[in-house]
Coordinates of all heavy atoms in Angstrom, one line a residue:
M8 N -12.9 -5.7 12.7 CA -13.0 -6.3 14.0 C -13.0 -5.2 15.1 O -12.4 -4.2 14.9 CB -11.9 -7.3 14.3 CG -11.8 -8.5 13.3 SD -10.5 -9.6 13.6 CE -11.2 -10.6 14.8
D9 N -13.7 -5.5 16.1 CA -13.9 -4.5 17.2 C -12.9 -4.8 18.3 O -13.3 -5.6 19.2 CB -15.3 -4.4 17.6 CG -15.5 -3.4 18.7 OD1 -14.7 -2.4 18.7 OD2 -16.5 -3.5 19.5
F10 N -11.7 -4.2 18.3 CA -10.8 -4.5 19.4 C -11.0 -3.5 20.5 O -10.4 -3.6 21.6 CB -9.4 -4.3 18.9 CG -9.0 -5.4 17.9 CD1 -8.8 -5.2 16.6 CD2 -8.8 -6.7 18.4 CE1 -8.4 -6.2 15.7 CE2 -8.5 -7.8 17.6 CZ -8.3 -7.5 16.2
S11 N -11.9 -2.5 20.4 CA -12.1 -1.6 21.5 C -12.8 -2.2 22.7 O -12.7 -1.7 23.8 CB -12.9 -0.4 21.0 OG -14.2 -0.8 20.6
R12 N -13.4 -3.4 22.5 CA -14.0 -4.1 23.6 C -13.0 -4.6 24.6 O -13.3 -4.9 25.7 CB -14.9 -5.2 23.1 CG -14.1 -6.3 22.4 CD -15.0 -7.5 22.0 NE -14.2 -8.5 21.5 CZ -14.3 -8.9 20.2 NH1 -15.1 -8.4 19.4 NH2 -13.5 -9.9 19.8
F13 N -11.7 -4.7 24.2 CA -10.7 -5.1 25.1 C -10.1 -4.0 25.9 O -9.2 -4.2 26.8 CB -9.6 -5.8 24.3 CG -10.0 -7.1 23.6 CD1 -9.9 -7.2 22.2 CD2 -10.6 -8.1 24.3 CE1 -10.4 -8.3 21.6 CE2 -11.0 -9.3 23.6 CZ -10.9 -9.3 22.3
A14 N -10.4 -2.8 25.6 CA -9.9 -1.6 26.3 C -10.4 -1.5 27.7 O -11.5 -1.9 28.0 CB -10.3 -0.3 25.6
R15 N -9.5 -1.1 28.6 CA -9.9 -0.9 30.0 C -10.7 0.4 30.2 O -11.6 0.4 31.1 CB -8.7 -1.0 30.9 CG -8.2 -2.4 31.1 CD -7.0 -2.4 31.9 NE -5.9 -2.6 31.0 CZ -4.7 -2.1 31.0 NH1 -4.4 -1.4 32.1 NH2 -3.8 -2.3 30.1
K16 N -10.4 1.4 29.5 CA -11.1 2.7 29.6 C -11.2 3.2 28.1 O -10.5 2.9 27.2 CB -10.4 3.7 30.5 CG -8.9 3.9 30.1 CD -8.3 4.8 31.3 CE -6.9 5.2 30.9 NZ -5.9 4.4 31.2
P17 N -12.2 4.1 27.9 CA -12.4 4.6 26.6 C -11.3 5.3 25.9 O -11.1 5.3 24.7 CB -13.6 5.6 26.7 CG -14.3 5.1 28.0 CD -13.2 4.6 28.9
S18 N -10.4 5.9 26.7 CA -9.3 6.7 26.1 C -8.1 5.8 25.7 O -7.1 6.3 25.2 CB -8.8 7.7 27.1 OG -8.3 7.1 28.3
D19 N -8.2 4.5 25.9 CA -7.1 3.6 25.6 C -6.8 3.5 24.1 O -5.7 3.1 23.6 CB -7.3 2.2 26.1 CG -7.1 2.0 27.6 OD1 -6.4 3.0 28.2 OD2 -7.5 1.1 28.2
Q20 N -7.8 3.8 23.3 CA -7.7 3.7 21.8 C -7.0 4.9 21.2 O -6.5 4.8 20.1 CB -9.1 3.6 21.2 CG -9.9 4.8 21.4 CD -11.3 4.6 21.1 OE1 -11.7 3.5 20.8 NE2 -12.1 5.7 21.1
V21 N -6.8 6.0 21.9 CA -6.3 7.2 21.4 C -4.8 7.0 20.9 O -4.5 7.4 19.8 CB -6.3 8.4 22.4 CG1 -5.6 9.6 21.9 CG2 -7.8 8.6 22.7
F22 N -4.0 6.4 21.6 CA -2.6 6.2 21.2 C -2.5 5.4 19.9 O -1.7 5.7 19.0 CB -1.7 5.5 22.3 CG -0.4 5.1 21.9 CD1 0.6 6.1 21.8 CD2 0.0 3.8 21.6 CE1 1.9 5.8 21.3 CE2 1.3 3.5 21.1 CZ 2.2 4.5 21.0
G23 N -3.2 4.3 19.8 CA -3.2 3.4 18.6 C -3.7 4.2 17.4 O -3.1 4.1 16.3
Q24 N -4.7 5.0 17.6 CA -5.2 5.7 16.4 C -4.3 6.8 16.0 O -4.0 7.0 14.8 CB -6.6 6.3 16.8 CG -7.7 5.3 16.9 CD -9.0 5.9 17.3 OE1 -9.1 7.0 17.7 NE2 -10.0 5.1 17.2
W25 N -3.7 7.5 16.9 CA -2.7 8.6 16.5 C -1.5 8.0 15.9 O -0.9 8.5 14.9 CB -2.4 9.5 17.7 CG -3.4 10.5 17.9 CD1 -4.3 10.6 18.9 CD2 -3.6 11.7 17.1 NE1 -5.1 11.7 18.8 CE2 -4.7 12.4 17.7 CE3 -3.0 12.2 16.0 CZ2 -5.2 13.6 17.1 CZ3 -3.5 13.4 15.4 CH2 -4.5 14.0 16.0
F26 N -1.0 6.9 16.5 CA 0.2 6.2 15.9 C -0.1 5.8 14.5 O 0.7 6.0 13.6 CB 0.6 5.0 16.8 CG 1.8 4.3 16.3 CD1 3.0 4.9 16.5 CD2 1.7 3.1 15.7 CE1 4.2 4.3 16.1 CE2 2.8 2.4 15.3 CZ 4.1 3.0 15.5
T27 N -1.3 5.2 14.2 CA -1.6 4.7 12.9 C -1.8 5.9 11.9 O -1.3 5.9 10.8 CB -2.9 3.9 12.9 OG1 -2.7 2.8 13.9 CG2 -3.3 3.4 11.6
F28 N -2.4 7.0 12.4 CA -2.5 8.2 11.5 C -1.2 8.8 11.1 O -1.0 9.2 10.0 CB -3.4 9.3 12.2 CG -4.8 8.9 12.4 CD1 -5.6 9.4 13.4 CD2 -5.5 8.1 11.5 CE1 -6.9 9.1 13.6 CE2 -6.8 7.7 11.6 CZ -7.5 8.2 12.7
I29 N -0.3 8.8 12.1 CA 1.1 9.3 11.8 C 1.8 8.4 10.8 O 2.4 8.9 9.8 CB 1.9 9.5 13.1 CG1 1.3 10.6 13.9 CG2 3.4 9.7 12.8 CD1 1.9 10.7 15.3
I30 N 1.7 7.1 11.0 CA 2.4 6.2 10.1 C 1.8 6.3 8.7 O 2.5 6.5 7.7 CB 2.3 4.7 10.6 CG1 3.1 4.6 11.9 CG2 2.8 3.7 9.5 CD1 4.6 4.7 11.7
I31 N 0.5 6.2 8.6 CA -0.1 6.2 7.2 C -0.1 7.6 6.6 O 0.1 7.7 5.4 CB -1.6 5.6 7.3 CG1 -1.5 4.2 7.6 CG2 -2.3 5.9 6.1 CD1 -2.8 3.5 7.9
G32 N -0.2 8.6 7.5 CA -0.3 10.0 7.0 C 1.1 10.6 6.6 O 1.1 11.6 5.9
S33 N 2.2 10.0 7.1 CA 3.5 10.6 6.8 C 4.4 9.6 6.0 O 5.1 10.1 5.1 CB 4.1 11.1 8.0 OG 4.3 10.1 8.9
I34 N 4.5 8.4 6.4 CA 5.4 7.5 5.8 C 5.0 7.1 4.4 O 5.8 7.1 3.5 CB 5.5 6.2 6.7 CG1 6.0 6.5 8.1 CG2 6.4 5.2 6.0 CD1 7.4 7.1 8.1
M35 N 3.7 6.8 4.2 CA 3.3 6.4 2.9 C 3.4 7.5 1.8 O 3.9 7.3 0.7 CB 1.8 5.8 2.9 CG 1.7 4.6 3.7 SD 2.9 3.3 3.3 CE 2.3 2.7 1.8
P36 N 3.0 8.7 2.1 CA 3.3 9.8 1.1 C 4.7 10.1 0.9 O 5.1 10.4 -0.2 CB 2.6 11.0 1.8 CG 1.5 10.5 2.6 CD 2.1 9.2 3.2
L37 N 5.6 9.8 1.9 CA 7.0 10.0 1.8 C 7.5 8.9 0.7 O 8.3 9.3 -0.1 CB 7.7 9.8 3.1 CG 9.2 9.8 3.0 CD1 9.7 11.2 2.6 CD2 9.8 9.4 4.4
F38 N 7.0 7.7 0.8 CA 7.4 6.7 -0.2 C 7.0 7.1 -1.6 O 7.7 6.9 -2.5 CB 6.8 5.3 0.2 CG 7.4 4.6 1.3 CD1 6.7 3.7 2.1 CD2 8.7 4.9 1.7 CE1 7.3 3.0 3.1 CE2 9.3 4.3 2.8 CZ 8.6 3.3 3.5
G39 N 5.8 7.7 -1.7 CA 5.4 8.2 -3.0 C 6.2 9.3 -3.6 O 6.6 9.3 -4.8
C40 N 6.6 10.2 -2.7 CA 7.5 11.3 -3.2 C 8.9 10.8 -3.5 O 9.5 11.2 -4.5 CB 7.7 12.3 -2.1 SG 6.2 13.3 -1.8
L41 N 9.4 9.8 -2.7 CA 10.7 9.3 -3.1 C 10.7 8.5 -4.4 O 11.6 8.5 -5.2 CB 11.2 8.4 -1.9 CG 11.6 9.1 -0.6 CD1 11.9 8.1 0.5 CD2 12.7 10.1 -0.8
T42 N 9.6 7.7 -4.6 CA 9.5 6.9 -5.8 C 9.4 7.8 -7.0 O 10.0 7.6 -8.0 CB 8.2 6.0 -5.7 OG1 8.4 5.2 -4.6 CG2 8.1 5.2 -7.0
S43 N 8.6 8.9 -6.9 CA 8.4 9.8 -8.1 C 9.7 10.5 -8.4 O 10.1 10.7 -9.5 CB 7.3 10.8 -7.9 OG 7.6 11.7 -6.8
S44 N 10.5 10.9 -7.3 CA 11.8 11.5 -7.5 C 12.8 10.6 -8.2 O 13.5 11.0 -9.1 CB 12.3 12.0 -6.2 OG 11.5 13.0 -5.7
A45 N 12.8 9.3 -7.7 CA 13.7 8.4 -8.3 C 13.3 8.1 -9.8 O 14.2 8.0 -10.6 CB 13.7 7.1 -7.5
T46 N 12.0 8.0 -10.1 CA 11.6 7.7 -11.5 C 11.9 8.9 -12.4 O 12.2 8.7 -13.6 CB 10.2 7.2 -11.6 OG1 9.3 8.3 -11.0 CG2 9.9 5.9 -10.9
Q47 N 11.8 10.1 -11.8 CA 12.1 11.3 -12.6 C 13.6 11.3 -13.0 O 14.0 11.6 -14.2 CB 11.8 12.5 -11.9 CG 12.0 13.8 -12.7 CD 11.4 15.0 -12.1 OE1 11.1 15.0 -10.9 NE2 11.3 16.1 -12.8
K48 N 14.4 10.9 -12.1 CA 15.9 10.8 -12.4 C 16.2 9.7 -13.4 O 17.0 9.8 -14.3 CB 16.7 10.6 -11.1 CG 18.2 10.7 -11.4 CD 18.9 10.7 -10.0 CE 20.4 10.6 -10.3 NZ 21.1 11.8 -10.1
L49 N 15.5 8.5 -13.2 CA 15.8 7.4 -14.1 C 15.2 7.5 -15.5 O 15.8 7.1 -16.5 CB 15.3 6.1 -13.4 CG 16.1 5.6 -12.2 CD1 15.3 4.4 -11.6 CD2 17.4 5.1 -12.7
Y50 N 13.9 7.9 -15.5 CA 13.1 7.9 -16.8 C 12.9 9.2 -17.4 O 12.3 9.3 -18.5 CB 11.8 7.1 -16.6 CG 12.0 5.7 -16.0 CD1 11.5 5.3 -14.8 CD2 12.8 4.8 -16.7 CE1 11.7 4.1 -14.3 CE2 13.0 3.5 -16.2 CZ 12.4 3.2 -15.0 OH 12.6 1.9 -14.5
G51 N 13.2 10.3 -16.7 CA 13.0 11.6 -17.2 C 11.6 12.2 -16.9 O 11.4 13.4 -17.3
E52 N 10.7 11.5 -16.3 CA 9.4 12.0 -15.9 C 9.0 11.3 -14.6 O 9.3 10.2 -14.4 CB 8.4 11.7 -17.0 CG 8.2 10.2 -17.3 CD 7.1 9.9 -18.3 OE1 6.1 10.6 -18.3 OE2 7.3 9.1 -19.1
P53 N 8.3 12.1 -13.7 CA 7.9 11.5 -12.5 C 6.7 10.5 -12.7 O 5.8 10.8 -13.4 CB 7.4 12.7 -11.6 CG 7.1 13.7 -12.6 CD 8.0 13.5 -13.8
L54 N 6.8 9.3 -12.2 CA 5.8 8.3 -12.3 C 5.2 8.0 -10.9 O 6.0 7.7 -10.0 CB 6.4 7.0 -13.0 CG 7.0 7.2 -14.3 CD1 7.7 5.9 -14.8 CD2 5.9 7.6 -15.3
W55 N 3.9 7.9 -10.8 CA 3.3 7.6 -9.6 C 2.6 6.3 -9.6 O 2.4 5.6 -8.6 CB 2.2 8.7 -9.3 CG 2.8 10.0 -8.8 CD1 3.1 11.0 -9.7 CD2 3.0 10.4 -7.5 NE1 3.6 12.0 -9.0 CE2 3.6 11.7 -7.6 CE3 2.9 9.9 -6.3 CZ2 3.9 12.5 -6.5 CZ3 3.2 10.6 -5.2 CH2 3.8 11.9 -5.3
N56 N 2.2 5.8 -10.8 CA 1.4 4.6 -10.9 C 2.3 3.4 -10.9 O 3.1 3.2 -11.8 CB 0.6 4.7 -12.2 CG -0.5 3.7 -12.3 OD1 -0.7 3.0 -11.4 ND2 -1.1 3.7 -13.5
P57 N 2.1 2.5 -9.9 CA 3.0 1.3 -9.9 C 3.0 0.4 -11.1 O 4.0 0.0 -11.6 CB 2.4 0.5 -8.6 CG 1.9 1.6 -7.8 CD 1.3 2.6 -8.7
P58 N 1.8 0.2 -11.8 CA 1.9 -0.6 -13.0 C 2.7 0.1 -14.1 O 3.3 -0.6 -14.9 CB 0.4 -0.8 -13.4 CG -0.3 -0.7 -12.1 CD 0.4 0.3 -11.3
T59 N 2.6 1.4 -14.2 CA 3.4 2.1 -15.2 C 4.9 2.0 -14.9 O 5.7 1.8 -15.8 CB 3.1 3.6 -15.2 OG1 1.7 3.7 -15.4 CG2 3.8 4.4 -16.2
I60 N 5.3 2.0 -13.6 CA 6.7 1.8 -13.2 C 7.1 0.4 -13.6 O 8.2 0.2 -14.1 CB 6.9 2.1 -11.7 CG1 6.6 3.5 -11.4 CG2 8.3 1.7 -11.3 CD1 6.5 3.9 -9.9
L61 N 6.3 -0.6 -13.4 CA 6.6 -2.0 -13.7 C 6.8 -2.1 -15.2 O 7.7 -2.8 -15.7 CB 5.6 -3.0 -13.3 CG 5.3 -3.0 -11.7 CD1 4.2 -4.0 -11.4 CD2 6.6 -3.4 -11.0
A62 N 6.0 -1.4 -16.0 CA 6.1 -1.5 -17.5 C 7.4 -0.8 -17.9 O 8.1 -1.3 -18.8 CB 4.9 -0.8 -18.1
M63 N 7.8 0.2 -17.2 CA 9.1 0.9 -17.6 C 10.2 0.0 -17.2 O 11.3 0.0 -17.9 CB 9.2 2.2 -16.8 CG 8.2 3.3 -17.3 SD 8.4 3.8 -19.0 CE 9.7 4.9 -18.8
W64 N 10.2 -0.8 -16.2 CA 11.2 -1.7 -15.8 C 11.4 -2.7 -17.0 O 12.5 -3.0 -17.4 CB 10.8 -2.6 -14.6 CG 11.0 -2.0 -13.3 CD1 11.4 -0.7 -13.0 CD2 10.6 -2.6 -12.1 NE1 11.3 -0.5 -11.7 CE2 10.8 -1.6 -11.1 CE3 10.0 -3.8 -11.7 CZ2 10.6 -1.9 -9.7 CZ3 9.8 -4.1 -10.4 CH2 10.0 -3.1 -9.4
L65 N 10.3 -3.2 -17.5 CA 10.4 -4.2 -18.6 C 10.8 -3.6 -19.9 O 11.4 -4.2 -20.7 CB 9.0 -4.9 -18.7 CG 8.7 -5.8 -17.5 CD1 7.3 -6.4 -17.7 CD2 9.7 -6.8 -17.2
Q66 N 10.4 -2.3 -20.2 CA 10.9 -1.7 -21.4 C 12.4 -1.4 -21.4 O 13.0 -1.4 -22.4 CB 10.1 -0.3 -21.6 CG 8.7 -0.5 -22.1 CD 8.0 0.8 -22.2 OE1 8.6 1.9 -21.9 NE2 6.8 0.8 -22.6
R67 N 12.9 -1.1 -20.2 CA 14.3 -0.7 -20.1 C 15.2 -2.0 -20.1 O 16.3 -1.9 -20.8 CB 14.5 0.0 -18.8 CG 15.9 0.6 -18.6 CD 15.9 1.5 -17.4 NE 17.1 2.4 -17.5 CZ 17.5 3.1 -16.6 NH1 16.8 3.1 -15.4 NH2 18.5 3.9 -16.7
D68 N 14.8 -3.0 -19.5 CA 15.6 -4.2 -19.4 C 14.7 -5.4 -19.3 O 14.0 -5.6 -18.3 CB 16.5 -4.2 -18.2 CG 17.4 -5.4 -18.0 OD1 17.7 -6.0 -19.1 OD2 17.8 -5.7 -16.9
Y69 N 14.7 -6.2 -20.3 CA 13.7 -7.4 -20.4 C 14.5 -8.7 -20.0 O 14.3 -9.7 -20.7 CB 13.1 -7.5 -21.7 CG 11.8 -8.3 -21.7 CD1 10.7 -7.8 -21.1 CD2 11.8 -9.5 -22.3 CE1 9.5 -8.6 -21.1 CE2 10.6 -10.3 -22.3 CZ 9.5 -9.8 -21.7 OH 8.4 -10.6 -21.7
S70 N 15.3 -8.6 -19.0 CA 16.0 -9.8 -18.6 C 15.1 -10.7 -17.6 O 14.0 -10.3 -17.3 CB 17.3 -9.4 -17.8 OG 17.0 -8.8 -16.6
S71 N 15.6 -11.8 -17.3 CA 14.8 -12.7 -16.4 C 14.6 -12.1 -15.0 O 13.6 -12.3 -14.4 CB 15.5 -14.1 -16.4 OG 16.8 -14.0 -15.8
T72 N 15.6 -11.4 -14.6 CA 15.5 -10.8 -13.2 C 14.5 -9.7 -13.2 O 13.7 -9.5 -12.3 CB 16.9 -10.3 -12.7 OG1 17.4 -9.4 -13.7 CG2 17.9 -11.4 -12.5
S73 N 14.5 -8.9 -14.3 CA 13.5 -7.8 -14.4 C 12.0 -8.4 -14.5 O 11.1 -7.9 -13.9 CB 13.7 -6.9 -15.6 OG 14.9 -6.2 -15.4
R74 N 11.9 -9.5 -15.3 CA 10.6 -10.1 -15.4 C 10.1 -10.7 -14.1 O 9.0 -10.6 -13.7 CB 10.6 -11.2 -16.5 CG 10.8 -10.6 -17.9 CD 10.5 -11.7 -19.0 NE 11.2 -12.9 -18.8 CZ 12.4 -13.2 -19.3 NH1 13.0 -12.3 -20.1 NH2 12.9 -14.4 -19.1
A75 N 11.1 -11.3 -13.4 CA 10.7 -11.9 -12.0 C 10.3 -10.7 -11.1 O 9.4 -10.9 -10.3 CB 11.9 -12.7 -11.5
A76 N 11.1 -9.7 -11.1 CA 10.8 -8.5 -10.2 C 9.4 -7.9 -10.5 O 8.6 -7.6 -9.6 CB 11.9 -7.5 -10.3
A77 N 9.1 -7.8 -11.8 CA 7.8 -7.2 -12.2 C 6.7 -8.2 -11.8 O 5.6 -7.8 -11.4 CB 7.8 -7.0 -13.7
F78 N 6.9 -9.5 -12.0 CA 5.9 -10.5 -11.6 C 5.6 -10.4 -10.1 O 4.4 -10.4 -9.7 CB 6.4 -11.9 -12.0 CG 5.5 -13.0 -11.4 CD1 4.3 -13.2 -12.0 CD2 5.9 -13.7 -10.3 CE1 3.4 -14.2 -11.5 CE2 5.0 -14.7 -9.8 CZ 3.8 -14.9 -10.4
F79 N 6.6 -10.4 -9.3 CA 6.4 -10.5 -7.9 C 5.8 -9.1 -7.4 O 5.0 -9.1 -6.4 CB 7.7 -10.8 -7.1 CG 8.0 -12.3 -7.2 CD1 9.1 -12.7 -7.9 CD2 7.1 -13.3 -6.7 CE1 9.4 -14.1 -8.0 CE2 7.4 -14.6 -6.8 CZ 8.5 -15.0 -7.5
A80 N 6.3 -8.0 -8.0 CA 5.7 -6.7 -7.6 C 4.2 -6.7 -8.0 O 3.3 -6.2 -7.3 CB 6.4 -5.6 -8.2
G81 N 3.9 -7.2 -9.2 CA 2.5 -7.2 -9.7 C 1.7 -8.2 -8.8 O 0.5 -7.9 -8.5
L82 N 2.2 -9.3 -8.4 CA 1.5 -10.2 -7.6 C 1.2 -9.6 -6.2 O 0.1 -9.7 -5.7 CB 2.4 -11.5 -7.4 CG 1.7 -12.6 -6.5 CD1 0.5 -13.2 -7.3 CD2 2.8 -13.7 -6.3
G83 N 2.2 -8.8 -5.7 CA 1.9 -8.0 -4.5 C 0.8 -7.0 -4.6 O -0.1 -6.9 -3.7
L84 N 0.8 -6.3 -5.7 CA -0.3 -5.3 -6.0 C -1.7 -6.0 -6.1 O -2.7 -5.6 -5.5 CB 0.0 -4.5 -7.2 CG 1.2 -3.6 -7.2 CD1 1.5 -3.0 -8.6 CD2 0.8 -2.4 -6.2
V85 N -1.7 -7.1 -6.9 CA -3.0 -7.8 -7.0 C -3.5 -8.4 -5.7 O -4.7 -8.3 -5.4 CB -2.9 -8.9 -8.1 CG1 -4.1 -9.8 -8.1 CG2 -2.7 -8.3 -9.5
S86 N -2.6 -9.0 -5.0 CA -3.0 -9.6 -3.7 C -3.4 -8.6 -2.7 O -4.4 -8.8 -2.0 CB -1.9 -10.5 -3.1 OG -0.8 -9.7 -2.8
S87 N -2.8 -7.4 -2.6 CA -3.2 -6.4 -1.7 C -4.6 -5.9 -2.1 O -5.4 -5.6 -1.2 CB -2.2 -5.3 -1.6 OG -2.2 -4.5 -2.8
Q88 N -4.9 -5.7 -3.4 CA -6.2 -5.3 -3.8 C -7.3 -6.3 -3.5 O -8.4 -6.0 -3.1 CB -6.2 -4.9 -5.3 CG -5.4 -3.7 -5.6 CD -5.9 -2.5 -4.9 OE1 -7.1 -2.2 -5.0 NE2 -5.0 -1.7 -4.3
S89 N -7.0 -7.6 -3.8 CA -8.0 -8.6 -3.5 C -8.2 -8.8 -2.0 O -9.4 -9.0 -1.6 CB -7.6 -9.9 -4.2 OG -6.4 -10.4 -3.6
V90 N -7.2 -8.7 -1.2 CA -7.4 -8.8 0.2 C -8.2 -7.6 0.7 O -9.1 -7.8 1.6 CB -6.0 -8.9 1.0 CG1 -6.2 -8.7 2.5 CG2 -5.4 -10.3 0.7
S91 N -7.9 -6.4 0.2 CA -8.7 -5.2 0.7 C -10.1 -5.4 0.3 O -11.0 -5.1 1.0 CB -8.1 -4.0 0.0 OG -6.8 -3.7 0.5
Y92 N -10.4 -5.8 -1.0 CA -11.8 -6.0 -1.4 C -12.5 -7.1 -0.6 O -13.6 -6.9 -0.2 CB -11.8 -6.4 -2.9 CG -13.1 -6.6 -3.5 CD1 -14.0 -5.5 -3.7 CD2 -13.6 -7.9 -3.7 CE1 -15.3 -5.7 -4.2 CE2 -14.9 -8.1 -4.2 CZ -15.7 -7.0 -4.4 OH -17.0 -7.2 -4.9
T93 N -11.8 -8.2 -0.4 CA -12.4 -9.2 0.4 C -12.7 -8.8 1.8 O -13.8 -9.1 2.4 CB -11.5 -10.5 0.4 OG1 -11.2 -10.8 -0.9 CG2 -12.2 -11.6 1.1
H94 N -11.8 -8.1 2.4 CA -12.0 -7.6 3.8 C -13.2 -6.6 3.8 O -14.0 -6.7 4.8 CB -10.7 -6.9 4.3 CG -10.8 -6.4 5.6 ND1 -10.8 -7.2 6.7 CD2 -10.9 -5.1 6.1 CE1 -10.9 -6.5 7.8 NE2 -11.0 -5.2 7.5
L95 N -13.3 -5.7 2.9 CA -14.4 -4.8 2.9 C -15.7 -5.5 2.6 O -16.7 -5.1 3.3 CB -14.2 -3.7 1.8 CG -13.1 -2.7 2.1 CD1 -12.9 -1.8 0.8 CD2 -13.4 -1.8 3.3
R96 N -15.7 -6.5 1.8 CA -17.0 -7.2 1.5 C -17.4 -8.0 2.7 O -18.6 -8.2 2.9 CB -16.9 -8.0 0.3 CG -16.6 -7.3 -1.0 CD -17.8 -6.5 -1.5 NE -18.8 -7.4 -1.9 CZ -20.0 -7.0 -2.2 NH1 -20.3 -5.7 -2.1 NH2 -21.0 -7.9 -2.5
A97 N -16.4 -8.5 3.4 CA -16.7 -9.4 4.6 C -17.3 -8.6 5.7 O -18.1 -9.2 6.5 CB -15.5 -10.1 5.0
H98 N -17.0 -7.3 5.8 CA -17.5 -6.6 7.0 C -18.6 -5.6 6.6 O -19.0 -4.7 7.3 CB -16.3 -5.8 7.6 CG -15.3 -6.6 8.2 ND1 -15.6 -7.3 9.4 CD2 -14.1 -6.9 7.9 CE1 -14.5 -8.0 9.7 NE2 -13.6 -7.8 8.8
E99 N -19.3 -5.9 5.4 CA -20.5 -5.1 5.1 C -21.6 -5.5 6.0 O -21.7 -6.7 6.4 CB -20.8 -5.3 3.6 CG -20.1 -4.5 2.7 CD -20.7 -4.7 1.3 OE1 -21.5 -5.6 1.0 OE2 -20.3 -3.9 0.4
T100 N -22.4 -4.5 6.3 CA -23.6 -4.9 7.0 C -24.7 -5.3 6.1 O -24.9 -4.8 5.0 CB -24.1 -3.7 7.8 OG1 -24.4 -2.6 6.9 CG2 -23.1 -3.3 8.9
R101 N -25.4 -6.4 6.4 CA -26.4 -6.9 5.6 C -27.8 -6.4 6.1 O -28.0 -6.4 7.3 CB -26.4 -8.5 5.6 CG -25.0 -9.0 5.2 CD -25.1 -10.0 4.2 NE -23.8 -10.5 3.9 CZ -23.3 -10.6 2.7 NH1 -24.0 -10.2 1.7 NH2 -22.1 -11.0 2.5
E102 N -28.6 -6.1 5.1 CA -30.0 -5.6 5.5 C -31.0 -6.6 5.3 O -30.9 -7.5 4.5 CB -30.3 -4.3 4.7 CG -29.4 -3.2 5.1 CD -29.7 -1.9 4.4 OE1 -30.9 -1.8 4.0 OE2 -28.8 -1.2 4.1

């Protein structure tokens, strides 16, 4: 969507873009580093791949709470991928 049409002047978009770049460029990699550090302490090796982490949860403890946590985390991963794909396909230009 083109929200720049609501700007009063062309430089109004700069703050929003820089704020977004800082959030995505620093917070998300920080979560990845913290996750890999935590999995290295728990499982003996750093894990980056979320489905691998979910599988390790289930290998370590196959209780109903672990299965529910893995299900909802997997559901979140699948829904985020499907929304991203749908959003990208919806905004393609047609020739």
Side-chain angles (χ1 to χ4, degrees):
M8 298 180 85
D9 182 23
F10 291 111
S11 63
R12 66 176 182 245
F13 298 119
R15 284 177 258 144
K16 55 187 187 270
S18 63
D19 284 345
Q20 66 193 4
V21 173
F22 174 74
Q24 289 176 352
W25 277 106
F26 183 72
T27 304
F28 290 150
I29 289 171
I30 294 295
I31 291 176
S33 61
I34 300 296
M35 296 310 287
L37 176 66
F38 286 156
C40 291
L41 292 174
T42 300
S43 68
S44 296
T46 57
Q47 185 172 12
K48 184 171 175 110
L49 288 173
Y50 304 119
E52 61 178 319
L54 301 172
W55 288 87
N56 192 4
T59 306
I60 295 171
L61 297 179
M63 293 296 280
W64 284 356
L65 295 175
Q66 285 178 359
R67 189 173 199 187
D68 180 28
Y69 199 71
S70 65
S71 60
T72 55
S73 295
R74 290 192 311 266
F78 170 76
F79 286 114
L82 184 66
L84 290 170
V85 168
S86 64
S87 69
Q88 291 298 311
S89 63
V90 166
S91 296
Y92 179 74
T93 304
H94 180 72
L95 288 174
R96 297 290 292 172
H98 292 291
E99 277 186 349
T100 57
R101 306 230 182 230
E102 294 182 29

